[in-house]
Structures are given as structure tokens and as C-alpha cells.
Amino acid sequence: MNPGAQTPDGPAAQPLRSDAERNRGRIIAAARTVFARDGLHASMASVAREASVGIATMFRRFPTKEELVDAVFADRMGAYADAVTVALDDPDPWTGFVGYIEAACAMQAADSGFADVLTTTFPTAKVLERRRNEAYAAMVELIGRAKAAGRLREDFDTSDLVLLHMATAGVVSATGDAAPDAWRRVAALFVQAFEAPARAPLPASPGHDALYRAMLRAEQPPPVPRESGEGG
């Protein structure tokens, strides 16, 4: 097919010039470093500085932060989805479920950016969200198997996994290098709480719609405090 030829989905993307491709690669590599260190609230300007490119070059390659996040983390979301597949392949549903939790939390602990990705949704990051949805569908199946085996408490809900990831992201952010393995205790506490038989009923789930709104809000940077006496 000729470069730029029409495809069933519309015009094909023009191939990048070699210098533009190098800049794109440098930006992605820099974003991996910055997001892993500082999380997703890191600015596009800080990524541009890490990549040693101008901010105009940054926005030519990635007009929005979501496009950059998609490029940086699509493969990691793929690895996350693969972890669910590995869990489904385990002949013991509970062992597979626990192994998935440990693997997913370890991925969060290893990369602050990915810790944020698992608790944030990016509607326009198509590849990232497609892999997230694949992982979710597989996880629903795994949860059903673990419940059928009598090992996962019956009132467990998929939203509990979102809460687990939110808790892990908070612990990873709060402990940093001072206590890098603290997340392991948190994950173990959650696993023990998830296991059947349940010792007591759980409070009502916050609900998928509420958590989705929370994940959308998590995409926004924290507000900058206003100076005392600052005008509107």
C-alpha cells in the first residue's frame, strides 16, 4: 500500500520524517521516566524538559496529555491484561485471583505513573481503554470462578478492585523510597478481607458510576492554592 493511501477507516497517517520520529521516541522515553517518578500529575512541560525538546515540538507530536499517556502506557496496560489472562489459566481460581492482585499491585509499586493510570480513566486514549476493558471482562470471569469455588466472598464486587488500586496508589505515593514494600502488607490485608467465609457484611459499594466519575476527576491536576487576599 502506498504511504498515505486511503484505508477503510479513512486516510492513513503520513509516515513521520526521521527527525520527527526521533523526537517522538525521545518524548515517550522521557514521559516514561517523568511519569514513573512523579505520577500523571507531572506537567507536559516537565516531560519536554526531560526530552530536551521545545514545548511546541511536544504539542506537535502529542497535542493532548491523553495521547501521550496512551503512547506511554498502552503496553503496560497490555501487561496488566495479560496478568488477568495468566490468573484465568490457573486451575485454582483463588490462587489465580490472589496472584493477579499481587502482580497488579507490584506493577503499581514499580511505576507511579501506572499506579495513577489504574485509578484514572482516559476516554480518548483508545488503545489504553480497549486493553483496560479487555482486562475487566476477563476479571469478571475470574471473580465468578473464585466465587463458584467458594473462596471469594459472595458480596465482593468488581468496584472493590478499583478501591484496592486506589488504596495501593495512595500507599505507593505516601511511602515512596522510605517504605517501598509497604504495598505488600496492604495487598495482603485486602486479600484476607476478600476471602470467604466473610466475617461480617460489607457496607454498600460506592457503585460503578460514582467510581467512574472519581476516575475522571483523578485525571485533573490538584488545584493550586490561592494566596491569602488574592482577588478573583
Side-chain angles (χ1 to χ4, degrees), residues 109-176:
D111 187 328
S112 293
F114 191 66
D116 290 341
V117 165
L118 286 185
T119 60
T120 312
T121 190
F122 305 91
T124 64
K126 301 303 184 183
V127 177
L128 186 73
E129 293 303 315
R130 175 171 54 80
R131 296 312 305 268
R132 190 200 303 273
N133 291 336
E134 290 171 359
Y136 177 82
M139 181 50 61
V140 169
E141 182 180 353
L142 180 62
I143 288 169
R145 291 185 188 181
K147 285 184 177 181
R151 297 298 306 277
L152 180 63
R153 58 186 300 154
E154 281 298 325
D155 56 355
F156 180 88
D157 186 84
T158 52
S159 63
D160 293 323
L161 289 177
V162 180
L163 296 176
L164 166 64
H165 290 319
M166 288 179 170
T168 303
V171 169
V172 168
S173 176
T175 57

